[in-house]
Amino acid sequence: MRKNNTQPRAPVLLAITAIVSVFMISPMLLSVMAGLVNNYSVGLKSGLTLRWLGEVWEVYGGTVGWSLALALICVACTVLLGVPCAYALARSHSRAARIFEELLTLPVAVPGLATALALILAYGQISAFRQSFAFILVGHIVFTLPFMVRTVASAFERHDLLALEEAARTLGASFRQRFLGILVPAVLPAIVAGSLMVFTLSVGEFNLTWMLHTPLTRTLPVGLADSYASMRLEIGSAYTLVFFIVILPVLWGLQSLAGLLQKRHGT
């Protein structure tokens, strides 16, 4: 007698999932549609157009490159700072390390406007720094670094890595050889996962960026808010479409890389 190995269906859960998906995706689809019609109040009857996309690119096109550059540089900085910090926190069990870890995560709990105000009070008097994208970059690093550290630190705490590091130490491997040759490759999937999180948070960060930006240092989210506040609804919606067109391929690429490393190295 053959056993039925098929899993029982859950129509209620499937229906709830479908309803939630439609509820979340519908506003984005409506926003995209509003950026592709001549007149949103008339709807599709007014005809489709790429005019609003052209106007968005003409006025705010510069924000695209700067946002991507800031996010990528932020990822690089958080990797360089966060991976060694994550290792130190994972290996230390002192009270000072725990206090430092809590202080490191403080910018996540504090509103972005408060963090931005603190940066302005501390470094706002340096005019060249204040008026540059580097000032926004510092804010993004302060905000995203805890996510990189927490993600990678949990990978460093694996028991098999502790045993592997101890074995390499007994065989005479230096700290540099152990760290760069054994530990970092072993936690590479966690580093990529943290990088994906940092990139997503950086490129979409608004509150902190809005406080730190100047008229010459706008990013995608700041430009999006400006377009909704000062221009036609169709232009703001077209800006949303530009945001999707620019960001989604990068996110899909990073997610594919993370999945590939997960298959090869595991966690």
Side-chain angles (χ1 to χ4, degrees), residues 6-245:
T6 59
Q7 297 292 329
R9 294 185 177 182
V12 175
L13 294 179
L14 182 62
I16 293 175
T17 302
I19 292 172
V20 172
S21 299
V22 171
F23 180 80
M24 295 179 64
I25 294 175
S26 295
M28 292 185 288
L29 295 178
L30 286 175
S31 180
V32 169
M33 185 202 73
L36 295 174
V37 296
N38 282 300
N39 192 320
Y40 177 70
S41 60
V42 178
L44 291 175
K45 294 181 181 179
S46 64
L48 298 176
T49 181
L50 297 178
R51 168 190 171 189
W52 310 121
L53 286 173
E55 291 197 21
V56 167
W57 193 258
E58 181 179 352
V59 179
Y60 300 103
T63 64
V64 174
W66 281 115
S67 291
L68 291 177
L70 277 172
L72 292 174
I73 296 173
C74 184
V75 168
C77 291
T78 52
V79 168
L80 293 175
L81 296 174
V83 174
C85 181
Y87 174 81
L89 291 176
R91 294 294 182 268
S92 176
H93 301 286
S94 66
R95 182 178 178 85
R98 301 286 73 83
I99 294 175
F100 175 78
E101 186 175 5
E102 294 302 322
L103 291 175
L104 184 68
T105 57
L106 195 59
V108 179
V110 174
L113 293 178
T115 302
L117 179 59
L119 289 173
I120 291 174
L121 292 176
Y123 307 112
Q125 294 78 12
I126 309 174
S127 59
F129 181 49
R130 174 69 180 90
Q131 298 172 10
S132 69
F133 278 100
F135 196 50
I136 299 176
L137 175 62
V138 169
H140 283 206
I141 293 173
V142 170
F143 175 66
T144 59
L145 185 60
F147 295 93
M148 176 65 74
V149 172
R150 283 293 181 91
T151 303
V152 180
S154 62
F156 275 130
E157 291 172 351
R158 287 161 39 199
H159 294 294
D160 57 331
L161 276 187
L162 292 172
L164 189 62
E165 183 181 8
E166 185 61 29
R169 190 202 312 270
T170 59
L171 292 174
S174 65
F175 172 76
R176 180 178 180 182
Q177 291 172 325
R178 298 195 306 270
F179 185 74
L180 297 179
I182 298 175
L183 296 178
V184 170
V187 300
L188 194 56
I191 294 175
V192 175
S195 299
L196 176 61
M197 191 180 306
V198 168
F199 179 87
T200 305
L201 291 170
S202 176
V203 82
E205 166 56 35
F206 171 73
N207 291 330
L208 186 146
T209 310
W210 180 81
M211 192 78 169
L212 296 180
H213 89 286
T214 68
L216 298 178
T217 57
R218 290 184 302 185
T219 62
L220 267 172
V222 174
L224 179 60
D226 179 71
S227 66
Y228 272 112
S230 60
M231 295 192 175
R232 292 179 57 125
L233 175 64
E234 292 84 355
I235 294 180
S237 298
Y239 202 130
T240 303
L241 178 56
V242 170
F243 192 91
F244 289 152
I245 292 173

Side-chain angles (χ1 to χ4, degrees), residues 249-263:
V250 179
L251 293 180
W252 289 334
L254 290 174
Q255 288 174 344
S256 299
L257 177 60
L260 180 62
L261 291 173
Q262 175 69 29
K263 291 180 180 179

